[in-house]
Amino acid sequence: MAVFGVSTAYLAYVGAYALATAGCLLALPRATRVSDSDTRRGLVGLLVGSGGWAALELAYLLAPTSATKYAAYLASLVVGLTTVGAWLYFASAYTGRSFHRTTRYRRAAVTVYLAIVAVKVTNPIHGLYFRTLYVTTPFPHLTIEHQTFHWVVTGLSYALVAVGFFMLYELFLEADYDTRPLAALVGLTGVPVVLDIVGFTSQRLIDINYEPLGVAVFALGVLYVFDTQFLAVQLTDGVDDPVIYLDDDGRIREYNGLAADLFPALDGATGRPLGDALPDVAGALETDDQILERTRDGETRYHLVSTTAFTLGQVDIGRMVVVSDVTQVERQRRELSRQNEQLEGIAAAIRHEMLNTLQIVRGRVNIAGEALEDDDVETARESLRTASSTAERMTNIVSDLARLARHGQTVERVDTVALGEVTEDARRAADLDGLDVSVDADGEVAADPSRLRNLLESGLTFAAHNGADAVTVAATDEGFTITDDGEPPDRDDPAPFFEYGQAVPDGEAGLTLPNLRMLAETHGWEATIDTGYDDGTRIVVTGARADATA
């Protein structure tokens, strides 16, 4: 301190306490806009106490007489002690605890405060708290010589302050946020302890309370420097979802550990626009359902991406993006949607079959009636037989569709089955009218055996009605194919072949392809027609592997 001269040292002290006073006072309007009432009350109390403490320390330095200096310092001790209570109140409220509202704790705090204040204000009588001495270094001033009771109270105060910091640190850990901002503030707040010790043990610093400077730094840091982090931690206490905080320009400011785990691209992304760092998340926010689909470790999961503004009082200071795992719900929703589409298709197929059948039956009955009028018994008998067989065919088709509706739910349990063996079972069950079936299927698939047999039966039946003489079932890396040498598709888009409403009128195709697709989808597979194959029709099923899961 000697190198700076007396005036420089004095101005440094005056400037430091003046800045602490002004900073606390100027920060009060911002503190009053904190939305949580208890947190706001604690923070405002901390600023008022710290600002008043710093102002009285400043008055101690500027007072013209020893008496006024003594009075200012004594008053600073009374006001400064209130910051301990305000700090604990803030820490309890901020972390969601109820200590600050518990009557017995509040009464105990007031009792201890009044007891300590009583010792302080009677210090001129007993001198147990501090004594004064006029010195000339580092500049002429009335120095304070703190006594034993001061250090006891100081130790108690810092122990209580440490309890508050522990509550904050625990909350940061539970909320899965970076604790470095808190550690930085703790470090700055703890610097006055070192200054107190240096001032007590040497002449390099004057023996004065430096704590107002540390408290002011903490309060200002919470309100201005790390405001987003502290607000984020409090808002997401108990939230077990990834959370990303954006400033009012849409740039990433903060995120919790869950978000970092889900989105590795967040590493080093602070300050970047969300759309640049996480374009899929930004894109999901622009969609109607706000569903983000991600595949990790071979599993597809779904996340609901929601956003809301977070404010300091009435002022928006950014947005909070919450990414909630809704995989189970979304899977159920998609399954219900698929089943609804399937049931609508089945209903269309049933309606079509019933209308066709009724028309045929009505026509055949009319023909039989006319034949009987003409005494043509044979024609009448043949027409009635056709009507009966047509009605029976409709009954069988409706029964098959009802069975398929029951099988329409997504497969929950699969077995590893040999594709060749199941194909042989399907060949024996299908009415193929002499169709030559060959099997090149040594692979295995993870499937429900009965539904896979029905799927293959539908594919072989389609080939039998597609003008084919031979059909081959072959395994592929992604599943299997059913290839016949019958008629090739007569359209570039194969999708209508798999739709109940459009496939039913296609004569010989019947309901086989819609049924095949539905049974494939219940396994999570995809069925399509290879439009590039010209020597017949090739049905391609993908997604069916032995390591697949339903």
Side-chain angles (χ1 to χ4, degrees):
M1 292 292 279
V3 294
F4 293 102
V6 172
S7 60
T8 302
Y10 179 72
L11 290 175
Y13 277 94
V14 170
Y17 285 97
L19 285 175
T21 303
C24 290
L25 293 177
L26 293 174
L28 274 175
R30 188 174 180 89
T32 58
R33 295 198 296 268
V34 173
S35 56
D36 182 71
S37 60
D38 284 353
T39 303
R40 178 177 64 249
R41 195 174 294 114
L43 193 55
V44 168
L46 191 62
L47 284 170
V48 171
S50 180
W53 193 3
L56 288 168
E57 295 285 352
L58 179 62
Y60 158 76
L61 292 170
L62 296 175
T65 66
S66 297
T68 53
K69 285 180 181 292
Y70 190 101
Y73 191 77
L74 187 60
S76 76
L77 295 179
V78 175
V79 173
L81 189 59
T82 64
T83 60
V84 178
W87 162 250
L88 290 174
Y89 191 101
F90 164 77
S92 174
Y94 174 81
T95 58
R97 291 172 167 85
S98 60
F99 299 136
H100 60 290
R101 292 193 297 268
T102 303
T103 302
R104 66 177 182 273
Y105 292 146
R106 294 170 69 154
R107 288 176 178 173
V110 171
T111 300
V112 172
Y113 173 78
L114 293 177
I116 295 175
V117 167
V119 175
K120 290 182 177 182
V121 297
T122 58
N123 187 73
I125 300 174
H126 51 71
L128 295 177
Y129 207 88
F130 69 91
R131 295 177 182 176
T132 59
L133 180 68
Y134 190 82
V135 296
T136 58
T137 57
F139 52 85
H141 68 283
L142 184 70
T143 189
I144 303 296
E145 292 183 340
H146 290 116
Q147 303 302 303
T148 303
F149 198 78
H150 164 81
W151 295 111
V152 171
V153 173
T154 299
L156 174 63
S157 298
Y158 273 107
L160 294 174
V161 169
V163 170
F165 276 123
F166 175 78
M167 288 191 283
L168 265 63
Y169 186 75
E170 185 179 48
L171 179 63
F172 268 68
L173 289 179
E174 289 177 353
D176 201 19
Y177 276 88
D178 187 1
T179 58
R180 286 176 295 182
L182 178 61
L185 287 180
V186 171
L188 291 174
T189 307
V191 168
V193 179
V194 178
L195 300 181
D196 279 344
I197 295 173
V198 173
F200 177 73
T201 59
S202 74
Q203 298 298 316
R204 295 180 62 83
L205 297 174
I206 68 174
D207 197 357
I208 192 174
N209 282 322
Y210 294 94
E211 285 80 0
L213 306 179
V215 176
V217 167
F218 177 85
L220 295 174
V222 169
L223 284 170
Y224 290 98
V225 181
F226 299 114
D227 54 339
T228 301
Q229 289 88 337
F230 273 80
L231 183 58
V233 171
Q234 187 179 39
L235 285 176
T236 56
D237 179 28
V239 176
D240 296 328
D241 293 320
V243 181
I244 304 169
Y245 285 86
L246 313 176
D247 61 19
D248 51 4
D249 293 324
R251 298 180 181 276
I252 297 171
R253 290 191 61 179
E254 183 63 46
Y255 49 86
N256 63 4
L258 292 173
D261 292 339
L262 183 62
F263 304 109
L266 282 174
D267 185 20
T270 302
R272 296 175 57 193
L274 179 66
D276 292 349
L278 300 174
D280 51 348
V281 175
L285 288 172
E286 302 299 325
T287 62
D288 292 335
D289 57 9
Q290 295 186 323
I291 295 295
L292 171 66
E293 181 177 336
R294 287 178 62 84
T295 300
R296 297 185 68 186
D297 301 326
E299 180 184 14
T300 299
R301 302 196 66 83
Y302 303 94
H303 303 270
L304 174 64
V305 183
S306 55
T307 180
T308 183
F310 64 100
T311 63
L312 194 62
Q314 302 301 317
V315 180
D316 290 345
I317 61 174
R319 286 191 301 153
M320 177 173 66
V321 179
V322 181
V323 185
S324 306
D325 192 319
V326 293
T327 300
Q328 189 63 31
V329 174
E330 181 63 13
R331 285 174 179 171
Q332 292 175 351
R333 186 192 69 80
R334 296 191 178 206
E335 171 66 7
L336 288 174
S337 177
R338 186 190 66 77
Q339 290 184 22
N340 287 337
E341 292 179 0
Q342 168 198 314
L343 291 174
E344 289 175 2
I346 290 176
I350 291 175
R351 285 196 301 271
H352 177 82
E353 284 298 319
M354 291 182 68
L355 289 174
N356 278 359
T357 302
L358 289 175
Q359 289 176 356
I360 294 172
V361 170
R362 186 180 296 114
R364 287 296 177 177
V365 170
N366 289 337
I367 292 173
E370 293 174 357
L372 289 175
E373 290 179 0
D374 296 335
D375 295 327
D376 187 351
V377 177
E378 185 62 31
T379 299
R381 184 182 293 115
E382 182 63 29
S383 294
L384 291 175
R385 287 174 180 170
T386 302
S388 177
S389 63
T390 301
E392 183 179 358
R393 173 178 172 273
M394 182 195 71
T395 300
N396 292 336
I397 289 176
V398 171
S399 296
D400 289 341
L401 289 171
R403 174 174 54 82
L404 286 168
R406 289 194 300 272
H407 282 182
Q409 296 184 357
T410 297
V411 174
E412 295 182 356
R413 182 179 180 278
V414 296
D415 297 321
T416 300
V417 296
L419 184 60
E421 294 179 4
V422 180
T423 302
E424 287 296 330
D425 293 341
R427 182 185 63 80
R428 288 190 292 268
D431 181 13
L432 302 181
D433 194 23
L435 181 68
D436 181 22
V437 179
S438 60
V439 180
D440 183 14
D442 294 332
E444 294 179 332
V445 295
D448 176 87
S450 64
R451 295 191 207 188
L452 177 58
R453 182 182 64 79
N454 291 335
L455 183 155
L456 292 167
E457 184 180 341
S458 294
L460 297 177
T461 302
F462 172 82
H465 291 286
N466 194 40
D469 295 321
V471 61
T472 301
V473 177
T476 66
D477 292 339
E478 290 295 321
F480 56 89
T481 59
I482 305 172
T483 307
D484 66 48
D485 58 359
E487 294 294 327
D490 60 355
R491 62 181 81 183
D492 295 331
D493 180 14
F497 283 101
F498 295 100
E499 297 177 5
Y500 283 106
Q502 298 190 45
V504 173
D506 287 348
E508 299 299 328
L511 303 176
T512 53
L513 290 185
N515 294 347
L516 185 149
R517 182 194 65 170
M518 187 271 291
L519 290 167
E521 289 180 345
T522 61
H523 288 86
W525 305 340
E526 182 179 356
T528 186
I529 291 178
D530 183 359
T531 55
Y533 184 72
D534 298 328
D535 296 331
T537 298
R538 172 173 289 161
I539 301 168
V540 181
V541 178
T542 57
R545 302 185 305 274
D547 59 345
T549 56

